[in-house]
Each structure stands twice: as structure tokens, then as C-alpha cells.
Amino acid sequence: MLLCGPFGKPHEGLEMAKAAELILEKPGMRSRATFTVFITQTFCYHWTSPLQETIAPLLKGYQIGLETGLVDRACWCLMGRTYHQYFIGRPLDSMQKEIEASITVLTQLKQDKNMSDIIVLSATVKKLRGIDTEAGDRILDSMLESATSSGNVALVATVNVLKLEAFVLFQEWKEAIDLV
């Protein structure tokens, strides 16, 4: 991972990712597969190959994570896959359905941290499509109210950062400044 980004040696990082995948083929390594797939597909492969090629491995990582009981790591793969589909330019109507399906899964699996990460993407897609532009705001406001009333300072900070990201993305500078 470090070779690919900070050290500027993506091909060497890719070789390390491939070595990690070879190690996973050994007996007893299936429990490590989900985390390894997430790391290699989100931090290594995209430097040297099209992002489209990460979609299928991330889905496989998600499925392995569910099978092995590593739900949180399975959801990391699901989130990575969802974001990569957005980044490759999947049509927005199809993207919205994918996000809604992911939200349903994250809700069922009680993955609140991952849920907060996908809410901004959901609001972005809806806003780009021109539908329910306030949906993300309502969800974030509800999360913020809950976090504030329970004294969860970390969640309050996370929600405010998510709101700030959305304001900046849509160049809503006055709202961003008011939030800060």
C-alpha cells in the first residue's frame, strides 16, 4: 500500500499485492481474504489498471466476508465496490439503486460507521439526478440530533465532516462557512 501511494512505486506495490493474493491460496487463509481483497483492490490495483477491474474482486471479498463471519470487513468491500462504481461513471439511476441496496444491507448488518460513509454518496447521486435533494440533509440532521443527545462527540464530528464534504462538493460555500 505504501509503495503505491506515498513512495510512488505502484508497480512494486502491485507485485506485493499479488504476493499477498498468492499467500491467500494456502489452506487456512480464507479468514484473511476479505481484508486483503479490500486493501489490494482499493489501495494498490487502481494505480496500474482500470478501476473497473476492482469491481468483481470487491464483490467476491464481500461474499467471503459474509461467509466467514467478518461482517465489518465484508462491508468495507461493499463500500469500496459501491464507490468504485460511482467513480467509473456508472449511470446515476443505476447507481442510486446500487446505493439503496447497499444501505439496506448495511442497515440489516448494523454497520452504522459504513452507513454514515454512504449517506454522502447517496445524497450526491440524488442531488445530481435532481430528486429529493434534501434527503441526505434530513438523514444527517437526524444522526446529528441523536449523537448530540447521547453525547457521542465522535459521531457529531463525523456527521459535521460529512455535511461539510457535501457543501464543498456542491460549492455551497455559505453553508460550509456557517457549519464551520
Side-chain angles (χ1 to χ4, degrees), residues 120-153:
V120 170
L121 183 58
S122 176
T124 300
V125 168
K126 286 180 179 180
K127 201 163 196 172
L128 289 170
R129 291 190 69 208
I131 56 172
D132 200 8
T133 57
E134 303 299 318
D137 295 337
R138 285 193 305 272
I139 294 169
L140 289 173
D141 288 343
S142 172
M143 288 174 66
L144 186 59
E145 183 179 321
S146 174
T148 302
S149 67
S150 67
N152 188 338
V153 178

mmCIF file of all heavy atoms in Angstrom, residues 120-153:
data_model
loop_
_atom_site.group_PDB
_atom_site.id
_atom_site.type_symbol
_atom_site.label_atom_id
_atom_site.label_comp_id
_atom_site.label_asym_id
_atom_site.label_seq_id
_atom_site.Cartn_x
_atom_site.Cartn_y
_atom_site.Cartn_z
ATOM 1 N N VAL A 120 -23.411 10.293 2.247
ATOM 2 C CA VAL A 120 -22.960 11.411 1.408
ATOM 3 C C VAL A 120 -23.033 11.028 -0.060
ATOM 4 O O VAL A 120 -23.472 11.813 -0.907
ATOM 5 C CB VAL A 120 -21.536 11.865 1.794
ATOM 6 C CG1 VAL A 120 -20.979 12.843 0.789
ATOM 7 C CG2 VAL A 120 -21.553 12.487 3.176
ATOM 8 N N LEU A 121 -22.638 9.805 -0.393
ATOM 9 C CA LEU A 121 -22.716 9.348 -1.782
ATOM 10 C C LEU A 121 -24.163 9.293 -2.252
ATOM 11 O O LEU A 121 -24.484 9.714 -3.364
ATOM 12 C CB LEU A 121 -22.047 7.982 -1.932
ATOM 13 C CG LEU A 121 -21.996 7.403 -3.342
ATOM 14 C CD1 LEU A 121 -21.262 8.340 -4.296
ATOM 15 C CD2 LEU A 121 -21.338 6.026 -3.324
ATOM 16 N N SER A 122 -25.040 8.812 -1.391
ATOM 17 C CA SER A 122 -26.464 8.752 -1.725
ATOM 18 C C SER A 122 -27.022 10.147 -1.991
ATOM 19 O O SER A 122 -27.714 10.383 -2.987
ATOM 20 C CB SER A 122 -27.237 8.088 -0.588
ATOM 21 O OG SER A 122 -28.618 8.101 -0.839
ATOM 22 N N ALA A 123 -26.718 11.075 -1.102
ATOM 23 C CA ALA A 123 -27.194 12.447 -1.278
ATOM 24 C C ALA A 123 -26.616 13.069 -2.539
ATOM 25 O O ALA A 123 -27.312 13.791 -3.258
ATOM 26 C CB ALA A 123 -26.824 13.281 -0.058
ATOM 27 N N THR A 124 -25.364 12.771 -2.834
ATOM 28 C CA THR A 124 -24.722 13.304 -4.037
ATOM 29 C C THR A 124 -25.429 12.819 -5.293
ATOM 30 O O THR A 124 -25.747 13.609 -6.186
ATOM 31 C CB THR A 124 -23.233 12.887 -4.083
ATOM 32 O OG1 THR A 124 -22.575 13.411 -2.933
ATOM 33 C CG2 THR A 124 -22.555 13.382 -5.337
ATOM 34 N N VAL A 125 -25.688 11.523 -5.360
ATOM 35 C CA VAL A 125 -26.350 10.953 -6.540
ATOM 36 C C VAL A 125 -27.756 11.527 -6.686
ATOM 37 O O VAL A 125 -28.166 11.920 -7.786
ATOM 38 C CB VAL A 125 -26.367 9.412 -6.481
ATOM 39 C CG1 VAL A 125 -27.284 8.822 -7.539
ATOM 40 C CG2 VAL A 125 -24.949 8.871 -6.635
ATOM 41 N N LYS A 126 -28.492 11.615 -5.584
ATOM 42 C CA LYS A 126 -29.845 12.170 -5.656
ATOM 43 C C LYS A 126 -29.813 13.631 -6.099
ATOM 44 O O LYS A 126 -30.643 14.061 -6.889
ATOM 45 C CB LYS A 126 -30.557 12.031 -4.306
ATOM 46 C CG LYS A 126 -30.980 10.618 -4.012
ATOM 47 C CD LYS A 126 -31.673 10.504 -2.674
ATOM 48 C CE LYS A 126 -32.108 9.076 -2.428
ATOM 49 N NZ LYS A 126 -32.793 8.924 -1.147
ATOM 50 N N LYS A 127 -28.848 14.358 -5.586
ATOM 51 C CA LYS A 127 -28.749 15.770 -5.955
ATOM 52 C C LYS A 127 -28.374 15.915 -7.435
ATOM 53 O O LYS A 127 -28.928 16.756 -8.140
ATOM 54 C CB LYS A 127 -27.722 16.464 -5.068
ATOM 55 C CG LYS A 127 -27.875 17.954 -5.010
ATOM 56 C CD LYS A 127 -27.116 18.525 -3.836
ATOM 57 C CE LYS A 127 -27.586 19.921 -3.546
ATOM 58 N NZ LYS A 127 -27.029 20.451 -2.320
ATOM 59 N N LEU A 128 -27.457 15.097 -7.902
ATOM 60 C CA LEU A 128 -27.077 15.133 -9.323
ATOM 61 C C LEU A 128 -28.238 14.742 -10.229
ATOM 62 O O LEU A 128 -28.350 15.239 -11.346
ATOM 63 C CB LEU A 128 -25.877 14.215 -9.585
ATOM 64 C CG LEU A 128 -24.535 14.687 -9.026
ATOM 65 C CD1 LEU A 128 -23.489 13.590 -9.146
ATOM 66 C CD2 LEU A 128 -24.079 15.954 -9.732
ATOM 67 N N ARG A 129 -29.103 13.876 -9.743
ATOM 68 C CA ARG A 129 -30.282 13.469 -10.519
ATOM 69 C C ARG A 129 -31.426 14.473 -10.375
ATOM 70 O O ARG A 129 -32.421 14.384 -11.085
ATOM 71 C CB ARG A 129 -30.765 12.099 -10.059
ATOM 72 C CG ARG A 129 -29.791 10.990 -10.435
ATOM 73 C CD ARG A 129 -30.359 9.626 -10.195
ATOM 74 N NE ARG A 129 -31.426 9.401 -11.159
ATOM 75 C CZ ARG A 129 -32.463 8.610 -10.939
ATOM 76 N NH1 ARG A 129 -32.584 7.969 -9.799
ATOM 77 N NH2 ARG A 129 -33.399 8.452 -11.864
ATOM 78 N N GLY A 130 -31.307 15.403 -9.423
ATOM 79 C CA GLY A 130 -32.338 16.414 -9.232
ATOM 80 C C GLY A 130 -33.554 15.907 -8.481
ATOM 81 O O GLY A 130 -34.636 16.471 -8.599
ATOM 82 N N ILE A 131 -33.373 14.845 -7.688
ATOM 83 C CA ILE A 131 -34.501 14.304 -6.914
ATOM 84 C C ILE A 131 -34.176 14.317 -5.433
ATOM 85 O O ILE A 131 -33.067 14.027 -5.027
ATOM 86 C CB ILE A 131 -34.869 12.872 -7.348
ATOM 87 C CG1 ILE A 131 -33.658 11.946 -7.257
ATOM 88 C CG2 ILE A 131 -35.415 12.853 -8.756
ATOM 89 C CD1 ILE A 131 -33.979 10.496 -7.489
ATOM 90 N N ASP A 132 -35.132 14.657 -4.622
ATOM 91 C CA ASP A 132 -35.028 14.628 -3.170
ATOM 92 C C ASP A 132 -33.686 15.164 -2.681
ATOM 93 O O ASP A 132 -32.935 14.476 -1.996
ATOM 94 C CB ASP A 132 -35.267 13.205 -2.665
ATOM 95 C CG ASP A 132 -35.650 13.185 -1.182
ATOM 96 O OD1 ASP A 132 -35.866 14.277 -0.611
ATOM 97 O OD2 ASP A 132 -35.724 12.093 -0.612
ATOM 98 N N THR A 133 -33.405 16.388 -3.053
ATOM 99 C CA THR A 133 -32.108 16.977 -2.731
ATOM 100 C C THR A 133 -31.909 17.209 -1.241
ATOM 101 O O THR A 133 -30.795 17.445 -0.798
ATOM 102 C CB THR A 133 -31.915 18.312 -3.477
ATOM 103 O OG1 THR A 133 -32.980 19.193 -3.131
ATOM 104 C CG2 THR A 133 -31.881 18.089 -4.977
ATOM 105 N N GLU A 134 -32.966 17.105 -0.469
ATOM 106 C CA GLU A 134 -32.857 17.317 0.975
ATOM 107 C C GLU A 134 -32.753 16.003 1.754
ATOM 108 O O GLU A 134 -32.584 16.022 2.968
ATOM 109 C CB GLU A 134 -34.067 18.113 1.487
ATOM 110 C CG GLU A 134 -34.259 19.457 0.804
ATOM 111 C CD GLU A 134 -33.069 20.385 0.998
ATOM 112 O OE1 GLU A 134 -32.539 20.446 2.119
ATOM 113 O OE2 GLU A 134 -32.666 21.033 0.011
ATOM 114 N N ALA A 135 -32.829 14.855 1.075
ATOM 115 C CA ALA A 135 -32.832 13.557 1.767
ATOM 116 C C ALA A 135 -31.591 13.370 2.625
ATOM 117 O O ALA A 135 -31.684 12.987 3.789
ATOM 118 C CB ALA A 135 -32.948 12.420 0.759
ATOM 119 N N GLY A 136 -30.431 13.610 2.051
ATOM 120 C CA GLY A 136 -29.187 13.444 2.800
ATOM 121 C C GLY A 136 -29.136 14.364 4.002
ATOM 122 O O GLY A 136 -28.679 13.979 5.081
ATOM 123 N N ASP A 137 -29.628 15.589 3.810
ATOM 124 C CA ASP A 137 -29.642 16.545 4.919
ATOM 125 C C ASP A 137 -30.517 16.052 6.068
ATOM 126 O O ASP A 137 -30.143 16.153 7.232
ATOM 127 C CB ASP A 137 -30.152 17.908 4.439
ATOM 128 C CG ASP A 137 -29.230 18.556 3.417
ATOM 129 O OD1 ASP A 137 -28.035 18.206 3.397
ATOM 130 O OD2 ASP A 137 -29.708 19.402 2.652
ATOM 131 N N ARG A 138 -31.676 15.506 5.735
ATOM 132 C CA ARG A 138 -32.578 15.006 6.776
ATOM 133 C C ARG A 138 -31.934 13.859 7.554
ATOM 134 O O ARG A 138 -32.015 13.802 8.781
ATOM 135 C CB ARG A 138 -33.908 14.548 6.167
ATOM 136 C CG ARG A 138 -34.821 15.692 5.748
ATOM 137 C CD ARG A 138 -36.226 15.201 5.447
ATOM 138 N NE ARG A 138 -36.266 14.143 4.447
ATOM 139 C CZ ARG A 138 -36.334 14.340 3.129
ATOM 140 N NH1 ARG A 138 -36.356 15.561 2.647
ATOM 141 N NH2 ARG A 138 -36.395 13.318 2.306
ATOM 142 N N ILE A 139 -31.290 12.953 6.832
ATOM 143 C CA ILE A 139 -30.646 11.811 7.495
ATOM 144 C C ILE A 139 -29.508 12.291 8.385
ATOM 145 O O ILE A 139 -29.393 11.885 9.544
ATOM 146 C CB ILE A 139 -30.136 10.794 6.448
ATOM 147 C CG1 ILE A 139 -31.319 10.162 5.712
ATOM 148 C CG2 ILE A 139 -29.282 9.719 7.108
ATOM 149 C CD1 ILE A 139 -30.930 9.350 4.500
ATOM 150 N N LEU A 140 -28.671 13.159 7.838
ATOM 151 C CA LEU A 140 -27.541 13.669 8.626
ATOM 152 C C LEU A 140 -28.017 14.474 9.820
ATOM 153 O O LEU A 140 -27.453 14.365 10.917
ATOM 154 C CB LEU A 140 -26.612 14.496 7.743
ATOM 155 C CG LEU A 140 -25.791 13.697 6.726
ATOM 156 C CD1 LEU A 140 -25.033 14.632 5.800
ATOM 157 C CD2 LEU A 140 -24.841 12.735 7.402
ATOM 158 N N ASP A 141 -29.065 15.287 9.639
ATOM 159 C CA ASP A 141 -29.605 16.060 10.759
ATOM 160 C C ASP A 141 -30.145 15.138 11.853
ATOM 161 O O ASP A 141 -29.957 15.388 13.038
ATOM 162 C CB ASP A 141 -30.702 17.019 10.283
ATOM 163 C CG ASP A 141 -30.149 18.187 9.482
ATOM 164 O OD1 ASP A 141 -28.924 18.433 9.559
ATOM 165 O OD2 ASP A 141 -30.934 18.836 8.774
ATOM 166 N N SER A 142 -30.788 14.048 11.441
ATOM 167 C CA SER A 142 -31.303 13.078 12.410
ATOM 168 C C SER A 142 -30.149 12.408 13.161
ATOM 169 O O SER A 142 -30.211 12.237 14.389
ATOM 170 C CB SER A 142 -32.138 12.019 11.684
ATOM 171 O OG SER A 142 -32.497 10.987 12.559
ATOM 172 N N MET A 143 -29.094 12.040 12.435
ATOM 173 C CA MET A 143 -27.925 11.437 13.076
ATOM 174 C C MET A 143 -27.276 12.421 14.038
ATOM 175 O O MET A 143 -26.865 12.059 15.142
ATOM 176 C CB MET A 143 -26.902 10.998 12.024
ATOM 177 C CG MET A 143 -27.320 9.786 11.224
ATOM 178 S SD MET A 143 -26.152 9.419 9.888
ATOM 179 C CE MET A 143 -24.687 8.972 10.814
ATOM 180 N N LEU A 144 -27.189 13.687 13.623
ATOM 181 C CA LEU A 144 -26.572 14.714 14.450
ATOM 182 C C LEU A 144 -27.374 14.928 15.732
ATOM 183 O O LEU A 144 -26.805 15.033 16.822
ATOM 184 C CB LEU A 144 -26.450 16.016 13.664
ATOM 185 C CG LEU A 144 -25.709 17.158 14.335
ATOM 186 C CD1 LEU A 144 -24.278 16.746 14.669
ATOM 187 C CD2 LEU A 144 -25.706 18.381 13.428
ATOM 188 N N GLU A 145 -28.682 14.966 15.618
ATOM 189 C CA GLU A 145 -29.541 15.143 16.792
ATOM 190 C C GLU A 145 -29.366 13.980 17.766
ATOM 191 O O GLU A 145 -29.218 14.174 18.974
ATOM 192 C CB GLU A 145 -31.008 15.244 16.350
ATOM 193 C CG GLU A 145 -31.974 15.497 17.480
ATOM 194 C CD GLU A 145 -33.408 15.601 16.985
ATOM 195 O OE1 GLU A 145 -33.635 16.180 15.908
ATOM 196 O OE2 GLU A 145 -34.291 15.079 17.707
ATOM 197 N N SER A 146 -29.338 12.769 17.234
ATOM 198 C CA SER A 146 -29.157 11.578 18.065
ATOM 199 C C SER A 146 -27.787 11.584 18.745
ATOM 200 O O SER A 146 -27.671 11.281 19.938
ATOM 201 C CB SER A 146 -29.313 10.325 17.201
ATOM 202 O OG SER A 146 -29.014 9.181 17.930
ATOM 203 N N ALA A 147 -26.760 11.935 17.984
ATOM 204 C CA ALA A 147 -25.396 11.960 18.530
ATOM 205 C C ALA A 147 -25.256 13.024 19.619
ATOM 206 O O ALA A 147 -24.632 12.798 20.650
ATOM 207 C CB ALA A 147 -24.394 12.205 17.412
ATOM 208 N N THR A 148 -25.863 14.181 19.378
ATOM 209 C CA THR A 148 -25.784 15.273 20.342
ATOM 210 C C THR A 148 -26.505 14.898 21.636
ATOM 211 O O THR A 148 -25.973 15.107 22.725
ATOM 212 C CB THR A 148 -26.388 16.564 19.749
ATOM 213 O OG1 THR A 148 -25.680 16.889 18.546
ATOM 214 C CG2 THR A 148 -26.289 17.723 20.716
ATOM 215 N N SER A 149 -27.700 14.332 21.500
ATOM 216 C CA SER A 149 -28.471 13.986 22.700
ATOM 217 C C SER A 149 -27.816 12.868 23.513
ATOM 218 O O SER A 149 -27.964 12.815 24.722
ATOM 219 C CB SER A 149 -29.906 13.600 22.330
ATOM 220 O OG SER A 149 -29.921 12.393 21.604
ATOM 221 N N SER A 150 -27.069 11.994 22.835
ATOM 222 C CA SER A 150 -26.403 10.903 23.565
ATOM 223 C C SER A 150 -24.987 11.266 23.994
ATOM 224 O O SER A 150 -24.312 10.478 24.649
ATOM 225 C CB SER A 150 -26.378 9.632 22.710
ATOM 226 O OG SER A 150 -25.539 9.815 21.587
ATOM 227 N N GLY A 151 -24.524 12.453 23.589
ATOM 228 C CA GLY A 151 -23.184 12.886 23.969
ATOM 229 C C GLY A 151 -22.076 12.209 23.180
ATOM 230 O O GLY A 151 -20.926 12.190 23.612
ATOM 231 N N ASN A 152 -22.403 11.673 22.023
ATOM 232 C CA ASN A 152 -21.417 10.978 21.191
ATOM 233 C C ASN A 152 -20.648 12.016 20.363
ATOM 234 O O ASN A 152 -21.008 12.325 19.233
ATOM 235 C CB ASN A 152 -22.118 9.956 20.291
ATOM 236 C CG ASN A 152 -21.143 9.072 19.545
ATOM 237 O OD1 ASN A 152 -19.978 9.419 19.357
ATOM 238 N ND2 ASN A 152 -21.645 7.932 19.103
ATOM 239 N N VAL A 153 -19.579 12.526 20.928
ATOM 240 C CA VAL A 153 -18.806 13.601 20.304
ATOM 241 C C VAL A 153 -18.177 13.149 18.987
ATOM 242 O O VAL A 153 -18.125 13.913 18.020
ATOM 243 C CB VAL A 153 -17.716 14.111 21.282
ATOM 244 C CG1 VAL A 153 -16.865 15.189 20.653
ATOM 245 C CG2 VAL A 153 -18.358 14.612 22.560
#
